[in-house]
Amino acid sequence: MKKITLAFLFVALIILPLRTTCADSSAIVGTQAPDFHLQDASGAEISLSQFRGKPVVLEWFNARCPFVQKFYRGGDMPHFQKQATENGAIWLTINSSSQGKLGHLTPEHALEITKSLRMNSTALLLDPTSTVARLYGARITPHLFVIDAVGILAYQGAIDNVPSTDSSDIAGATNYVLAALAALAANKPVQPSSTEPYGCSVKY
């Protein structure tokens, strides 16, 4: 019984898809995305505003989350990152796990993760106080945001429409992030502009 109870708690706290909105954050779809400054894995300071003129993807990341692992074990997320950046977008991967919490990254570990997972994002940013996660209302990994070239938040939510940990589901899923980037490139409305993210909780 004890094992069953512990397993249930693990699923409830870590694995079950979590639902959230940006209602209590400063990041509202259709309005100016809040600027921020964070250091990347090499110690360089990166700001959102320095990329004005290009669409930007924000990807909340925790290497220990099974829903994140789904997109990295077969190289799907690096492929999406490469596709987006080759088409002119900026892709910022953000780790907001606090020190001592599951998935926290030191700069040294972040550099190792970047290589071992073959990331193609523009930068892996470290948010150890979870300040930017709270600013955007990001409580899930992976939680994705797409910002247009003039800084307006165009999309927030899940990466796709299949909330599972099975990598074989990716090929048949609707990728909301790539669809949003394609819509922005074509000067068309982003639809949907908001979905329910699924994954693990950000470890504030």
Side-chain angles (χ1 to χ4, degrees):
M1 177 62 75
K2 185 177 180 180
K3 289 184 177 179
I4 294 174
T5 302
L6 290 174
F8 175 80
L9 287 173
F10 177 75
V11 170
L13 295 175
I14 304 296
I15 301 298
L16 276 178
L18 299 174
R19 295 176 180 275
T20 186
T21 68
C22 290
D24 57 349
S25 76
S26 300
I28 307 297
V29 171
T31 68
Q32 195 75 31
D35 194 19
F36 59 81
H37 298 257
L38 289 174
Q39 288 189 337
D40 69 10
S42 65
E45 185 167 294
I46 301 292
S47 68
L48 175 64
S49 57
Q50 76 183 73
F51 300 115
R52 188 65 53 83
K54 296 183 178 181
V56 177
V57 176
L58 305 181
E59 171 209 350
W60 259 267
F61 169 85
N62 183 337
R64 304 288 296 277
C65 170
F67 290 89
V68 172
Q69 294 167 358
K70 164 188 174 181
F71 289 97
Y72 279 96
R73 69 171 65 98
D76 293 283
M77 191 68 86
H79 173 72
F80 300 149
Q81 295 163 347
K82 183 177 182 181
Q83 181 178 338
T85 55
E86 285 184 344
N87 287 326
I90 300 297
W91 190 299
L92 301 176
T93 303
I94 302 175
N95 176 267
S96 294
S97 294
S98 300
Q99 187 171 5
K101 298 293 182 66
L102 187 72
H104 174 74
L105 294 177
T106 64
E108 293 78 13
H109 193 195
L111 286 174
E112 293 172 2
I113 286 273
T114 300
K115 294 178 182 177
S116 65
L117 296 183
R118 300 182 179 181
M119 288 183 172
N120 289 312
S121 54
T122 306
L124 172 55
L125 304 181
L126 303 179
D127 178 31
T129 61
S130 308
T131 301
V132 178
R134 296 177 196 277
L135 183 66
Y136 274 76
R139 301 189 185 90
I140 303 294
T141 57
H143 192 164
L144 282 296
F145 297 76
V146 179
I147 300 163
D148 72 13
V150 297
I152 302 299
L153 182 60
Y155 173 78
Q156 78 81 27
I159 187 170
D160 65 24
N161 65 336
V162 182
S164 77
T165 57
D166 188 346
S167 297
S168 66
D169 290 333
I170 296 173
T174 297
N175 189 308
Y176 296 129
V177 175
L178 296 183
L181 290 172
L184 292 176
N187 199 28
K188 294 180 178 179
V190 173
Q191 294 292 339
S193 60
S194 183
T195 63
E196 294 286 350
Y198 67 88
C200 310
S201 60
V202 173
K203 311 308 179 195
Y204 290 167

Short mmCIF file of all heavy atoms in Angstrom, two decimals, residues 41-91:
data_model
loop_
_atom_site.label_atom_id
_atom_site.label_comp_id
_atom_site.label_asym_id
_atom_site.label_seq_id
_atom_site.Cartn_x
_atom_site.Cartn_y
_atom_site.Cartn_z
N ALA A 41 24.77 29.55 -20.52
CA ALA A 41 25.63 28.56 -19.90
C ALA A 41 27.09 29.01 -19.85
O ALA A 41 27.86 28.57 -18.98
CB ALA A 41 25.51 27.23 -20.65
N SER A 42 27.48 29.89 -20.77
CA SER A 42 28.89 30.35 -20.80
C SER A 42 29.10 31.61 -19.97
O SER A 42 30.22 32.11 -19.89
CB SER A 42 29.31 30.60 -22.25
OG SER A 42 28.57 31.69 -22.81
N GLY A 43 28.03 32.14 -19.37
CA GLY A 43 28.15 33.32 -18.53
C GLY A 43 27.81 34.62 -19.23
O GLY A 43 27.81 35.69 -18.60
N ALA A 44 27.52 34.58 -20.52
CA ALA A 44 27.16 35.79 -21.27
C ALA A 44 25.74 36.23 -20.91
O ALA A 44 24.85 35.39 -20.74
CB ALA A 44 27.26 35.54 -22.77
N GLU A 45 25.53 37.55 -20.78
CA GLU A 45 24.19 38.05 -20.47
C GLU A 45 23.38 38.19 -21.74
O GLU A 45 23.86 38.77 -22.73
CB GLU A 45 24.27 39.40 -19.75
CG GLU A 45 22.88 39.89 -19.32
CD GLU A 45 22.95 41.04 -18.35
OE1 GLU A 45 23.42 40.84 -17.22
OE2 GLU A 45 22.52 42.14 -18.72
N ILE A 46 22.19 37.66 -21.70
CA ILE A 46 21.28 37.66 -22.85
C ILE A 46 20.00 38.37 -22.45
O ILE A 46 19.45 38.12 -21.37
CB ILE A 46 20.94 36.22 -23.29
CG1 ILE A 46 22.20 35.44 -23.66
CG2 ILE A 46 19.94 36.24 -24.45
CD1 ILE A 46 22.90 35.89 -24.90
N SER A 47 19.53 39.28 -23.31
CA SER A 47 18.23 39.92 -23.05
C SER A 47 17.28 39.58 -24.19
O SER A 47 17.71 39.34 -25.33
CB SER A 47 18.39 41.43 -22.95
OG SER A 47 18.74 41.99 -24.20
N LEU A 48 16.00 39.56 -23.87
CA LEU A 48 15.02 39.32 -24.93
C LEU A 48 15.04 40.46 -25.94
O LEU A 48 14.97 40.23 -27.15
CB LEU A 48 13.62 39.19 -24.31
CG LEU A 48 12.47 39.06 -25.31
CD1 LEU A 48 12.60 37.77 -26.11
CD2 LEU A 48 11.12 39.09 -24.57
N SER A 49 15.16 41.68 -25.46
CA SER A 49 15.05 42.84 -26.35
C SER A 49 16.17 42.92 -27.38
O SER A 49 16.00 43.57 -28.41
CB SER A 49 15.02 44.13 -25.51
OG SER A 49 16.17 44.22 -24.70
N GLN A 50 17.29 42.25 -27.15
CA GLN A 50 18.39 42.32 -28.12
C GLN A 50 18.04 41.59 -29.41
O GLN A 50 18.74 41.76 -30.41
CB GLN A 50 19.68 41.75 -27.52
CG GLN A 50 19.74 40.23 -27.44
CD GLN A 50 21.00 39.72 -26.79
OE1 GLN A 50 21.17 39.83 -25.57
NE2 GLN A 50 21.92 39.16 -27.57
N PHE A 51 16.97 40.80 -29.38
CA PHE A 51 16.58 40.05 -30.58
C PHE A 51 15.40 40.68 -31.31
O PHE A 51 14.78 40.03 -32.16
CB PHE A 51 16.23 38.60 -30.20
CG PHE A 51 17.39 37.86 -29.57
CD1 PHE A 51 17.32 37.44 -28.26
CD2 PHE A 51 18.55 37.62 -30.29
CE1 PHE A 51 18.38 36.77 -27.67
CE2 PHE A 51 19.62 36.95 -29.72
CZ PHE A 51 19.54 36.53 -28.41
N ARG A 52 15.07 41.93 -30.93
CA ARG A 52 13.96 42.63 -31.61
C ARG A 52 14.22 42.66 -33.12
O ARG A 52 15.33 42.91 -33.57
CB ARG A 52 13.83 44.04 -31.06
CG ARG A 52 12.59 44.79 -31.54
CD ARG A 52 11.29 44.15 -31.04
NE ARG A 52 11.26 43.96 -29.60
CZ ARG A 52 10.92 44.90 -28.72
NH1 ARG A 52 10.55 46.08 -29.15
NH2 ARG A 52 10.91 44.64 -27.42
N GLY A 53 13.18 42.34 -33.88
CA GLY A 53 13.31 42.25 -35.33
C GLY A 53 13.26 40.81 -35.83
O GLY A 53 13.15 40.58 -37.04
N LYS A 54 13.31 39.87 -34.88
CA LYS A 54 13.22 38.45 -35.23
C LYS A 54 12.20 37.77 -34.31
O LYS A 54 12.07 38.15 -33.14
CB LYS A 54 14.58 37.75 -35.06
CG LYS A 54 15.66 38.25 -35.99
CD LYS A 54 16.93 37.45 -35.78
CE LYS A 54 18.02 37.91 -36.76
NZ LYS A 54 19.26 37.13 -36.61
N PRO A 55 11.50 36.76 -34.82
CA PRO A 55 10.64 35.99 -33.91
C PRO A 55 11.49 35.23 -32.91
O PRO A 55 12.60 34.79 -33.23
CB PRO A 55 9.87 35.05 -34.85
CG PRO A 55 10.71 34.97 -36.08
CD PRO A 55 11.43 36.28 -36.20
N VAL A 56 10.95 35.07 -31.70
CA VAL A 56 11.69 34.40 -30.62
C VAL A 56 10.81 33.31 -30.02
O VAL A 56 9.63 33.53 -29.75
CB VAL A 56 12.09 35.40 -29.52
CG1 VAL A 56 12.79 34.67 -28.36
CG2 VAL A 56 13.01 36.48 -30.08
N VAL A 57 11.42 32.15 -29.82
CA VAL A 57 10.76 31.05 -29.11
C VAL A 57 11.40 30.92 -27.73
O VAL A 57 12.63 30.91 -27.62
CB VAL A 57 10.91 29.71 -29.87
CG1 VAL A 57 10.31 28.56 -29.07
CG2 VAL A 57 10.27 29.80 -31.25
N LEU A 58 10.58 30.83 -26.70
CA LEU A 58 11.05 30.53 -25.35
C LEU A 58 10.59 29.12 -25.00
O LEU A 58 9.40 28.81 -25.10
CB LEU A 58 10.48 31.52 -24.32
CG LEU A 58 10.70 33.02 -24.59
CD1 LEU A 58 10.08 33.84 -23.46
CD2 LEU A 58 12.18 33.34 -24.75
N GLU A 59 11.53 28.28 -24.61
CA GLU A 59 11.24 26.88 -24.29
C GLU A 59 11.68 26.61 -22.85
O GLU A 59 12.87 26.62 -22.56
CB GLU A 59 12.01 25.95 -25.24
CG GLU A 59 11.96 24.47 -24.85
CD GLU A 59 13.20 23.70 -25.30
OE1 GLU A 59 14.02 24.25 -26.06
OE2 GLU A 59 13.35 22.55 -24.84
N TRP A 60 10.71 26.35 -21.95
CA TRP A 60 11.11 26.00 -20.58
C TRP A 60 11.52 24.54 -20.53
O TRP A 60 10.84 23.68 -21.10
CB TRP A 60 9.98 26.33 -19.60
CG TRP A 60 10.31 27.61 -18.90
CD1 TRP A 60 10.96 27.74 -17.70
CD2 TRP A 60 10.07 28.94 -19.38
NE1 TRP A 60 11.14 29.08 -17.42
CE2 TRP A 60 10.61 29.83 -18.42
CE3 TRP A 60 9.47 29.46 -20.53
CZ2 TRP A 60 10.55 31.21 -18.57
CZ3 TRP A 60 9.41 30.83 -20.68
CH2 TRP A 60 9.95 31.69 -19.71
N PHE A 61 12.64 24.28 -19.86
CA PHE A 61 13.36 23.02 -19.99
C PHE A 61 13.77 22.46 -18.63
O PHE A 61 14.21 23.20 -17.74
CB PHE A 61 14.62 23.29 -20.83
CG PHE A 61 15.63 22.18 -20.86
CD1 PHE A 61 15.51 21.14 -21.76
CD2 PHE A 61 16.73 22.18 -20.00
CE1 PHE A 61 16.45 20.11 -21.80
CE2 PHE A 61 17.67 21.17 -20.03
CZ PHE A 61 17.53 20.13 -20.93
N ASN A 62 13.62 21.15 -18.48
CA ASN A 62 14.15 20.43 -17.31
C ASN A 62 14.54 19.04 -17.82
O ASN A 62 13.67 18.25 -18.21
CB ASN A 62 13.09 20.32 -16.21
CG ASN A 62 13.63 19.63 -14.96
OD1 ASN A 62 14.59 18.86 -15.02
ND2 ASN A 62 12.99 19.88 -13.82
N ALA A 63 15.83 18.75 -17.84
CA ALA A 63 16.32 17.50 -18.41
C ALA A 63 15.82 16.27 -17.68
O ALA A 63 15.85 15.16 -18.22
CB ALA A 63 17.85 17.50 -18.42
N ARG A 64 15.32 16.45 -16.45
CA ARG A 64 14.85 15.30 -15.66
C ARG A 64 13.37 15.03 -15.87
O ARG A 64 12.85 14.06 -15.32
CB ARG A 64 15.13 15.56 -14.17
CG ARG A 64 16.59 15.86 -13.84
CD ARG A 64 17.47 14.63 -13.94
NE ARG A 64 17.08 13.62 -12.97
CZ ARG A 64 17.49 13.63 -11.69
NH1 ARG A 64 18.30 14.58 -11.27
NH2 ARG A 64 17.10 12.69 -10.86
N CYS A 65 12.71 15.85 -16.62
CA CYS A 65 11.26 15.71 -16.84
C CYS A 65 11.00 14.73 -17.99
O CYS A 65 11.51 14.92 -19.10
CB CYS A 65 10.65 17.07 -17.16
SG CYS A 65 8.92 16.97 -17.72
N PRO A 66 10.20 13.70 -17.77
CA PRO A 66 9.92 12.73 -18.84
C PRO A 66 9.27 13.35 -20.08
O PRO A 66 9.49 12.87 -21.20
CB PRO A 66 8.96 11.74 -18.17
CG PRO A 66 9.24 11.86 -16.72
CD PRO A 66 9.59 13.30 -16.49
N PHE A 67 8.50 14.41 -19.89
CA PHE A 67 7.86 15.06 -21.04
C PHE A 67 8.88 15.83 -21.87
O PHE A 67 8.73 15.98 -23.07
CB PHE A 67 6.74 15.98 -20.57
CG PHE A 67 5.55 15.26 -20.03
CD1 PHE A 67 5.47 14.93 -18.69
CD2 PHE A 67 4.51 14.87 -20.86
CE1 PHE A 67 4.38 14.24 -18.18
CE2 PHE A 67 3.42 14.19 -20.38
CZ PHE A 67 3.36 13.86 -19.02
N VAL A 68 9.93 16.33 -21.22
CA VAL A 68 11.03 16.97 -21.95
C VAL A 68 11.89 15.91 -22.64
O VAL A 68 12.27 16.05 -23.81
CB VAL A 68 11.88 17.82 -20.99
CG1 VAL A 68 13.14 18.33 -21.68
CG2 VAL A 68 11.05 18.99 -20.45
N GLN A 69 12.17 14.84 -21.91
CA GLN A 69 12.98 13.75 -22.47
C GLN A 69 12.33 13.18 -23.73
O GLN A 69 13.04 12.77 -24.65
CB GLN A 69 13.15 12.66 -21.42
CG GLN A 69 13.99 13.11 -20.23
CD GLN A 69 13.92 12.15 -19.07
OE1 GLN A 69 13.21 11.15 -19.11
NE2 GLN A 69 14.65 12.45 -18.00
N LYS A 70 11.01 13.17 -23.76
CA LYS A 70 10.29 12.69 -24.95
C LYS A 70 10.79 13.38 -26.21
O LYS A 70 10.93 12.75 -27.26
CB LYS A 70 8.79 12.96 -24.76
CG LYS A 70 7.93 12.88 -26.01
CD LYS A 70 6.51 13.35 -25.71
CE LYS A 70 5.65 13.42 -26.96
NZ LYS A 70 4.28 13.91 -26.68
N PHE A 71 11.08 14.68 -26.11
CA PHE A 71 11.43 15.47 -27.29
C PHE A 71 12.93 15.52 -27.55
O PHE A 71 13.35 16.01 -28.60
CB PHE A 71 10.87 16.89 -27.14
CG PHE A 71 9.38 16.95 -27.26
CD1 PHE A 71 8.60 16.97 -26.13
CD2 PHE A 71 8.77 16.96 -28.51
CE1 PHE A 71 7.21 17.00 -26.23
CE2 PHE A 71 7.39 16.99 -28.62
CZ PHE A 71 6.61 17.01 -27.48
N TYR A 72 13.74 15.03 -26.60
CA TYR A 72 15.20 15.06 -26.79
C TYR A 72 15.80 13.69 -27.08
O TYR A 72 16.85 13.60 -27.71
CB TYR A 72 15.88 15.69 -25.58
CG TYR A 72 15.85 17.21 -25.62
CD1 TYR A 72 14.86 17.92 -24.95
CD2 TYR A 72 16.80 17.94 -26.33
CE1 TYR A 72 14.81 19.30 -25.00
CE2 TYR A 72 16.76 19.32 -26.39
CZ TYR A 72 15.77 20.00 -25.71
OH TYR A 72 15.73 21.38 -25.78
N ARG A 73 15.15 12.60 -26.59
CA ARG A 73 15.80 11.29 -26.71
C ARG A 73 15.99 10.89 -28.17
O ARG A 73 16.96 10.21 -28.50
CB ARG A 73 15.00 10.22 -25.95
CG ARG A 73 13.67 9.85 -26.53
CD ARG A 73 13.07 8.62 -25.81
NE ARG A 73 12.76 8.88 -24.43
CZ ARG A 73 11.51 9.18 -24.01
NH1 ARG A 73 10.51 9.27 -24.87
NH2 ARG A 73 11.27 9.40 -22.74
N GLY A 74 15.10 11.30 -29.05
CA GLY A 74 15.24 10.97 -30.46
C GLY A 74 15.70 12.15 -31.31
O GLY A 74 15.72 12.04 -32.55
N GLY A 75 16.03 13.25 -30.66
CA GLY A 75 16.53 14.42 -31.38
C GLY A 75 15.45 15.30 -31.99
O GLY A 75 15.74 16.16 -32.83
N ASP A 76 14.19 15.10 -31.57
CA ASP A 76 13.11 15.90 -32.19
C ASP A 76 13.20 17.38 -31.83
O ASP A 76 13.05 18.23 -32.70
CB ASP A 76 11.75 15.33 -31.75
CG ASP A 76 11.52 13.95 -32.31
OD1 ASP A 76 11.19 13.84 -33.50
OD2 ASP A 76 11.72 12.97 -31.56
N MET A 77 13.43 17.68 -30.54
CA MET A 77 13.49 19.09 -30.17
C MET A 77 14.68 19.79 -30.84
O MET A 77 14.51 20.90 -31.37
CB MET A 77 13.56 19.26 -28.65
CG MET A 77 13.36 20.70 -28.18
SD MET A 77 11.67 21.30 -28.46
CE MET A 77 10.87 20.72 -26.95
N PRO A 78 15.89 19.19 -30.83
CA PRO A 78 16.98 19.83 -31.58
C PRO A 78 16.64 20.04 -33.06
O PRO A 78 17.07 21.03 -33.66
CB PRO A 78 18.14 18.85 -31.41
CG PRO A 78 17.87 18.20 -30.09
CD PRO A 78 16.38 18.05 -30.03
N HIS A 79 15.88 19.11 -33.63
CA HIS A 79 15.46 19.28 -35.03
C HIS A 79 14.53 20.49 -35.17
O HIS A 79 14.69 21.29 -36.10
CB HIS A 79 14.76 18.02 -35.52
CG HIS A 79 14.15 18.15 -36.88
ND1 HIS A 79 14.91 18.21 -38.04
CD2 HIS A 79 12.86 18.28 -37.28
CE1 HIS A 79 14.11 18.35 -39.09
NE2 HIS A 79 12.86 18.39 -38.65
N PHE A 80 13.58 20.63 -34.25
CA PHE A 80 12.68 21.79 -34.29
C PHE A 80 13.47 23.09 -34.12
O PHE A 80 13.20 24.10 -34.78
CB PHE A 80 11.61 21.70 -33.19
CG PHE A 80 10.73 20.49 -33.28
CD1 PHE A 80 10.20 19.92 -32.13
CD2 PHE A 80 10.42 19.91 -34.51
CE1 PHE A 80 9.39 18.80 -32.19
CE2 PHE A 80 9.61 18.78 -34.58
CZ PHE A 80 9.09 18.22 -33.41
N GLN A 81 14.44 23.06 -33.19
CA GLN A 81 15.27 24.25 -32.94
C GLN A 81 16.05 24.63 -34.20
O GLN A 81 16.12 25.81 -34.57
CB GLN A 81 16.22 23.97 -31.78
CG GLN A 81 15.53 23.76 -30.45
CD GLN A 81 16.41 23.09 -29.41
OE1 GLN A 81 17.48 22.56 -29.72
NE2 GLN A 81 15.97 23.11 -28.15
N LYS A 82 16.62 23.63 -34.84
CA LYS A 82 17.40 23.89 -36.06
C LYS A 82 16.51 24.44 -37.17
O LYS A 82 16.88 25.41 -37.86
CB LYS A 82 18.08 22.59 -36.53
CG LYS A 82 18.97 22.78 -37.74
CD LYS A 82 19.67 21.47 -38.11
CE LYS A 82 20.60 21.69 -39.30
NZ LYS A 82 21.27 20.42 -39.69
N GLN A 83 15.34 23.83 -37.33
CA GLN A 83 14.40 24.29 -38.36
C GLN A 83 14.01 25.74 -38.14
O GLN A 83 13.98 26.56 -39.07
CB GLN A 83 13.16 23.41 -38.37
CG GLN A 83 12.12 23.79 -39.42
CD GLN A 83 10.93 22.84 -39.42
OE1 GLN A 83 11.03 21.69 -38.95
NE2 GLN A 83 9.80 23.29 -39.93
N ALA A 84 13.73 26.07 -36.88
CA ALA A 84 13.30 27.44 -36.56
C ALA A 84 14.43 28.46 -36.77
O ALA A 84 14.22 29.51 -37.37
CB ALA A 84 12.80 27.50 -35.11
N THR A 85 15.60 28.12 -36.26
CA THR A 85 16.71 29.09 -36.36
C THR A 85 17.20 29.24 -37.79
O THR A 85 17.62 30.33 -38.19
CB THR A 85 17.87 28.69 -35.43
OG1 THR A 85 18.28 27.35 -35.72
CG2 THR A 85 17.44 28.77 -33.97
N GLU A 86 17.16 28.17 -38.57
CA GLU A 86 17.56 28.29 -39.97
C GLU A 86 16.59 29.16 -40.76
O GLU A 86 16.96 29.72 -41.80
CB GLU A 86 17.66 26.90 -40.61
CG GLU A 86 18.89 26.13 -40.17
CD GLU A 86 19.06 24.79 -40.87
OE1 GLU A 86 18.08 24.31 -41.48
OE2 GLU A 86 20.16 24.23 -40.79
N ASN A 87 15.36 29.27 -40.24
CA ASN A 87 14.38 30.14 -40.89
C ASN A 87 14.36 31.54 -40.29
O ASN A 87 13.44 32.32 -40.56
CB ASN A 87 12.99 29.51 -40.80
CG ASN A 87 12.84 28.32 -41.73
OD1 ASN A 87 13.41 28.29 -42.82
ND2 ASN A 87 12.08 27.32 -41.31
N GLY A 88 15.36 31.85 -39.46
CA GLY A 88 15.51 33.22 -38.98
C GLY A 88 15.02 33.50 -37.58
O GLY A 88 15.12 34.64 -37.11
N ALA A 89 14.49 32.49 -36.90
CA ALA A 89 13.99 32.71 -35.54
C ALA A 89 15.12 32.55 -34.51
O ALA A 89 16.16 31.95 -34.79
CB ALA A 89 12.86 31.74 -35.23
N ILE A 90 14.89 33.11 -33.34
CA ILE A 90 15.75 32.91 -32.18
C ILE A 90 15.06 31.92 -31.27
O ILE A 90 13.85 32.02 -31.04
CB ILE A 90 15.99 34.24 -31.43
CG1 ILE A 90 16.66 35.26 -32.35
CG2 ILE A 90 16.80 34.01 -30.16
CD1 ILE A 90 18.04 34.88 -32.83
N TRP A 91 15.81 30.94 -30.75
CA TRP A 91 15.22 29.92 -29.86
C TRP A 91 15.99 29.94 -28.55
O TRP A 91 17.18 29.60 -28.53
CB TRP A 91 15.29 28.55 -30.51
CG TRP A 91 14.49 27.48 -29.79
CD1 TRP A 91 14.66 27.04 -28.52
CD2 TRP A 91 13.41 26.71 -30.34
NE1 TRP A 91 13.75 26.05 -28.22
CE2 TRP A 91 12.97 25.82 -29.32
CE3 TRP A 91 12.76 26.68 -31.58
CZ2 TRP A 91 11.93 24.92 -29.51
CZ3 TRP A 91 11.72 25.78 -31.77
CH2 TRP A 91 11.31 24.91 -30.74
#
